[in-house]
Amino acid sequence: MKPALLLLTFACSAFAGEYAVLASGARLYAERHESEGAKVTLFTQTGSTEMDAALVVRFEQEEPKPEAAVPPAFSPAATQTVKTIGMAELIDNAARKYGLPPAFVRAVVAVESGYRADAVSPKGAIGLMQLMPGTARELGADPKIPEQNVDAGTRYLRDLLLKYDNHAYHALAAYNAGPGAVDKYHGVPPYTETHNYILSVLRNWRKQSTD
């Protein structure tokens, strides 16, 4: 590589990163990523997150930004990347609290946000379990706080399973597309995104259960 081109590459990387777009629609910021086999690792200033490559639909390059700092959407405490290993214990505790298989809840979190507390979808869903602000308010939770996000999301998932007689397909469809869509179609709605979401969670659940 020519020196001038190398300098340009480093200059761009100092100002711009990239976004990993997940199947759920969430976009995760990373300074860079590395792929190895069926895994992809996202790197940020606060650490790294490893996830199944199948969960990432594509990567989008971030436009270079001016030097002026942009105020963060959340407070530093809320946007801090949570280590997967520590978050797994939080998720498992919430799953047991509401009587759900921990591997099932972990699979939902993996597909929804890739274990990222700072994930925000284009529709405005927030955090690890991608709660919409209105849903979070109904559940009495602050979705920007990981502990409250996971507790409320797991409780909501439990309530959906109860509503649909423990039919995982219907509960997952309602979590993704809303109970109104499931009730309207008397089952899983004919949305490609929802079908792909259900399959992704079930595949991840199976993997989580065998690891």
Side-chain angles (χ1 to χ4, degrees):
M1 182 181 290
K2 295 181 179 180
L5 183 58
L6 181 62
L7 179 61
L8 178 62
T9 301
F10 283 156
C12 288
S13 65
F15 293 94
E18 60 185 3
Y19 288 94
V21 181
L22 305 187
S24 66
R27 299 169 77 246
L28 306 181
Y29 176 78
E31 293 182 342
R32 62 186 178 87
H33 75 276
E34 292 181 1
S35 299
E36 183 175 351
K39 296 290 184 182
V40 62
T41 303
L42 307 180
F43 294 91
T44 66
Q45 290 183 345
T46 57
S48 63
T49 302
E50 183 183 83
M51 65 179 69
D52 290 339
L55 299 179
V56 181
V57 177
R58 64 184 180 277
F59 287 93
E60 296 179 350
Q61 200 68 29
E62 183 189 33
E63 292 296 326
K65 292 186 175 114
E67 292 186 4
V70 177
F74 304 150
S75 66
T79 57
Q80 183 178 6
T81 299
V82 181
K83 293 293 186 181
T84 300
I85 187 170
M87 188 49 61
E89 182 178 359
L90 180 64
I91 295 166
D92 289 358
N93 289 341
R96 295 187 187 99
K97 176 180 177 181
Y98 294 108
L100 300 183
F104 177 64
V105 182
R106 272 187 264 125
V108 171
V109 175
V111 174
E112 287 287 348
S113 67
Y115 290 93
R116 288 281 293 269
D118 58 351
V120 180
S121 80
K123 296 179 180 179
I126 298 169
L128 289 149
M129 297 196 73
Q130 289 291 277
L131 297 178
M132 293 297 292
T135 303
R137 281 195 300 271
E138 291 176 3
L139 295 167
D142 184 342
K144 301 171 188 176
I145 299 175
E147 292 80 2
Q148 293 189 30
N149 187 293
V150 171
D151 185 90
T154 304
R155 175 157 41 102
Y156 181 49
L157 194 57
R158 187 275 314 270
D159 291 346
L160 291 173
L161 284 164
L162 292 175
K163 175 179 172 66
Y164 297 110
D165 298 322
N166 285 324
H167 290 162
Y169 276 66
H170 291 179
L172 289 172
Y175 197 94
N176 176 259
V182 175
D183 296 344
K184 175 182 177 181
Y185 290 99
H186 306 289
V188 178
Y191 306 153
T192 300
E193 176 190 338
T194 300
H195 281 268
N196 290 340
Y197 171 81
I198 293 171
L199 292 176
S200 294
V201 171
L202 294 179
R203 277 196 300 266
N204 203 285
W205 183 14
R206 187 161 51 246
K207 181 179 181 302
Q208 296 267 8
S209 299
T210 57
D211 283 351

